[in-house]
Amino acid sequence: MRATAALLEQPGQPFVLTEVDLDEPRPDEVLVRVAAVGICGTDLEFAGFFPTPALLGHEGSGVVEKVGAHVTSVRPGDHVAMSFASCGTCALCRTGSPAYCRSFDAVNFSGRRPDGTTAVTHEGREVNAHFLGQSSFAGHVVAPERAVVKIDPSLDLLRAGPFGCGFQTGAGGVLNVLQPRPGSSIAVFGAGAVGVAAIIAASLSGCEVVAAVDVNPAKLDAARGYGATHTVDSSAGDTAEQLAALVPGGFDFVIDTTGREDVLRTAVEALGPLGRAGVIGIGPSESMSFEWRSILNGRTVTGIIAGSSLPQLFLPKLLELNAKGQFPVEKMITYFPFEQINEAVAAVRTGSVGKAVLTF
């Protein structure tokens, strides 16, 4: 079948709206008509180097139109959110940790199915797709069953898309990994979509101090509305000194969503004894370094992928919290028609929107 898609013809160039051809779903695949898709920093990062022609996008929601012969978890007409892919057969997948699947890179970032084929072609050319299980910058998606999560049909499909990556990642980093005790302290570095999700989760966990750290005053102001008890403007003085003044003995937990070496070092050094740092951000730094004393006293640094979640269980819980008004991320969403994808990308890059979501 044919679908409208936003192709990346060259790395770093604007997306081009065009028509692509999709294969029929294989026995373990699902065809989804996309209702909405969020734009994530990971899309923008990979747009700079992913093999082209490419079809990106990985925060999609929609309605199932067809299922393969072996699919049992969804059927045509079901509403779904989409998340990352996993092999389903390695020890980590089988024990409930698909975010750390031993084939994670191959099934999410190769641009191909595990057998090397692609379900997407454009004017006879093979397109590198299957990005994080979906490549949802398109009106229709052929996705593996493991990347599709059935959701309550009463939920807002336009709102559900970003939960599959950014919101799941931030919230899961707190709720699934750090699991802060009531009364504890946490600093969240970066107050974008992922950071806001972490801030809300920390507030839900009963943290007494929830400090948002950013260089954007508008984002810091907004963070208070999501549960931040304190804000730290890194551009307005020494960040370490400001954090030490908030929690003199050091924070119990920190989360970095920036992917910057200098920020992560500051975050780790802000920890108290037995403090835990969660590293979420994919950013400009290729390496990280610490003065060795900064991780003594029992401090730990933990990398976190996709909130360490099992999407089929975690996403419905987050969406339920949202429906109850307890995870109010919709306040940061700005919707754009799919045809305005490049305008939406520009808004994300400048930080003029909290979360851009494309609608079909």
Side-chain angles (χ1 to χ4, degrees), residues 41-69:
T42 302
D43 293 310
L44 306 189
E45 184 78 14
F46 275 79
F49 60 83
F50 203 68
T52 53
L55 182 55
L56 302 177
H58 66 283
E59 290 186 340
S61 61
V63 179
V64 175
E65 290 196 343
K66 293 182 181 179
V67 300

Side-chain angles (χ1 to χ4, degrees), residues 287-352:
S287 62
M288 298 178 183
S289 64
F290 310 104
E291 198 276 329
W292 67 272
R293 295 179 186 85
S294 66
I295 56 171
L296 291 181
N297 296 326
R299 296 167 180 160
T300 58
V301 180
T302 302
I304 303 172
I305 295 175
S308 289
S309 72
L310 182 58
Q312 283 71 18
L313 296 180
F314 192 60
L315 285 184
K317 290 180 180 179
L318 276 188
L319 287 165
E320 182 181 354
L321 287 172
N322 176 257
K324 293 178 178 178
Q326 297 175 304
F327 196 77
V329 288
E330 68 276 5
K331 295 188 297 183
M332 71 183 307
I333 293 175
T334 301
Y335 293 102
F336 294 81
F338 182 62
E339 294 76 15
Q340 294 181 12
I341 182 171
N342 289 310
E343 290 86 342
V345 167
V348 172
R349 291 192 184 278
T350 62
S352 62

